[in-house]
Amino acid sequence: MPDASTASVSPTANIGVVGLAVMGSNLARNLASREGNTVAVFNRSYEKTETLVTEHPEAGFVPASTYEEFAAALQKPRTAIIMVKAGGPTDAVIDELMRVFEPGDIIIDGGNSLFTDTIRREKAVREAGFNFVGMGVSGGEEGALLGPSLMPGGPDEAWVTLGPILRSIAAVAEGEPCVTHVGHDGAGHFVKMVHNGIEYADMQLIAEAYDLIRRGTGKTPAEIADVFAEWNRGELESYLIEITAEVLRQNDAATGRPLVDVIVDEAGAKGTGAWTVQTALDLGVPVSGIAEATFARSLSSHREQRDVSGALPGPSDDAFTVPDADAFIEQVRLALYASKIVAYSQGFDEIRAGAAQYGWTIDLGAISRIWRGGCIIRAQFLNRIADAYAAEPELPVLLSAPYFVEALGRAQAAWRDIVQIAAGAGIPAPAFSSSLAYYDGLRAERLPAALIQGQRDFFGAHTYRRTDKPGTFHTLWSGDRTEIEAEDTH
């Protein structure tokens, strides 16, 4: 609880922000710009607090130099958003806030925390009498300032207070704020994790499309920028397509060369893609497009391996010829769209599985709607995803919705051609090809998994089921190879 030294501080703020690096500062400015909000701000280094307050007097911030002052400045129930580095720093701030807050107050983690950490924290904070919300925030620095997509989890009680505040700052798409109460404890950070996994896949697919067009047509980055700008006026319209055109148009001031040719071809990652894949493996959900995109970043960063692999044999340089550049570009566009549909479908499959595993009630249609604005993966076709779940909330796989069946039907011939061309030319297109393999796996009436079950039964007595009668069986492979009925291990 606040101590006596802060008793004279007037509780004028309805929301507070702890952590004033770029994301925290921008979010605080966004909050302060909305009618009805007064924002208390605190940073471990008071210099950052002073800088923010001085540079933005119009915001009317309430600065605090101690946690006690911060708590005393907040109206009850005190509500504070933590915007610090995930992990230990987040735990440290939570401990400090619990020290100065009172039961019923609300602590929100707006960082990219692992959802299992959020589950742990929510339980501990709840047991201490406070409300804890793990909230995904997407949109980067610009989104934080102008309107992000927000994915809060946490208790219903906290949402009553927090909902109006978050709706005031969220991006707006088609008249709707891009925020919803995702679910309890770790649900918000789980959904944000999957969002980032889809983002990995989307970015890799776009990079593969660029690479194929450049190698196949000889177009310059600026010319390919025009291609992406044109795509952004159609069914591929999205934030990532839009900024791809901007990046490809940029020339390096020092050399005059296209900036994309000056940037080292090693892609960084902050872990959320890997978390998405690891969690999907735990849940038994195939997210092959997301996985290949994550592995592609890893491969790009292993320069020591790539530098010694130049002697590996491959197709000759003249193996890749495109007789009709416009037709080839249209094939790439269709392959990109089809693969993008797979990436989103796999992501929504993971959200559904996570909800079942952790006891969350997550509205998949609502998730697609809040991703339409403010976030990195915002795209026109998220409306089609929302339509699909509105028509059939329990849709077992997004690809089976009529709109996507039609779209994939239009795209599949070009998709297959592009994967074949890339393989024949020795051009890596792991996200394109793995997405197609997943699609064909779903289509297959029978998969070779039957052989794998036979192998597993041979070396490990793992048993199998039969197509012609119920029960679980084992063949006595090291004996007379008769079949016996076994205890069901499935």
Side-chain angles (χ1 to χ4, degrees), residues 116-275:
T116 49
D117 287 342
T118 304
I119 292 173
R120 167 182 60 78
R121 289 168 179 149
E122 195 278 334
K123 182 176 184 293
V125 172
R126 172 168 35 88
E127 289 175 350
F130 304 95
N131 289 303
F132 185 78
V133 173
M135 181 174 70
V137 179
S138 180
E141 297 171 10
E142 180 179 300
L145 179 61
L146 302 178
S149 175
L150 299 169
M151 293 150 264
D156 297 338
E157 177 186 350
W159 178 243
V160 173
T161 298
L162 195 56
I165 298 172
L166 297 183
R167 282 191 285 266
S168 77
I169 66 167
V172 176
E174 301 186 22
E176 296 181 324
C178 294
V179 58
T180 191
H181 184 206
V182 174
H184 295 150
D185 54 64
H189 277 143
F190 184 95
V191 167
K192 176 56 163 58
M193 174 191 74
V194 175
H195 164 286
N196 285 22
I198 295 171
E199 180 184 307
Y200 273 54
D202 213 344
M203 294 172 73
Q204 176 66 25
L205 290 166
I206 290 171
E208 290 177 14
Y210 152 76
D211 194 33
L212 284 161
I213 292 172
R214 189 164 188 187
R215 295 207 211 187
T217 69
K219 287 183 179 291
T220 65
E223 290 171 331
I224 300 172
D226 291 339
V227 171
F228 277 91
E230 178 63 29
W231 286 358
N232 199 46
R233 289 189 279 269
E235 61 188 0
L236 275 172
E237 180 190 348
S238 67
Y239 174 72
L240 285 171
I241 293 289
E242 176 188 339
I243 68 167
T244 296
E246 295 297 318
V247 172
L248 291 175
R249 282 199 183 97
Q250 184 70 20
N251 286 327
D252 174 50
T255 64
R257 298 170 59 198
L259 180 63
V260 73
D261 289 345
V262 177
I263 297 172
V264 174
D265 59 335
E266 298 176 12
K270 290 190 174 180
T272 47
W275 291 349

Side-chain angles (χ1 to χ4, degrees), residues 369-418:
R369 290 193 297 273
I370 68 170
W371 286 351
R372 293 179 302 176
C375 74
I376 303 301
I377 64 171
R378 59 185 183 265
Q380 181 193 98
F381 93 133
L382 281 161
N383 279 315
R384 307 288 78 79
I385 296 176
D387 293 343
Y389 285 119
E392 191 176 346
E394 299 304 317
L395 188 67
V397 60
L398 185 60
L399 299 184
S400 64
Y403 173 86
F404 296 114
V405 169
E406 186 278 331
L408 291 164
R410 281 190 290 113
Q412 68 149 335
W415 195 9
R416 296 181 191 285
D417 284 347
I418 289 300

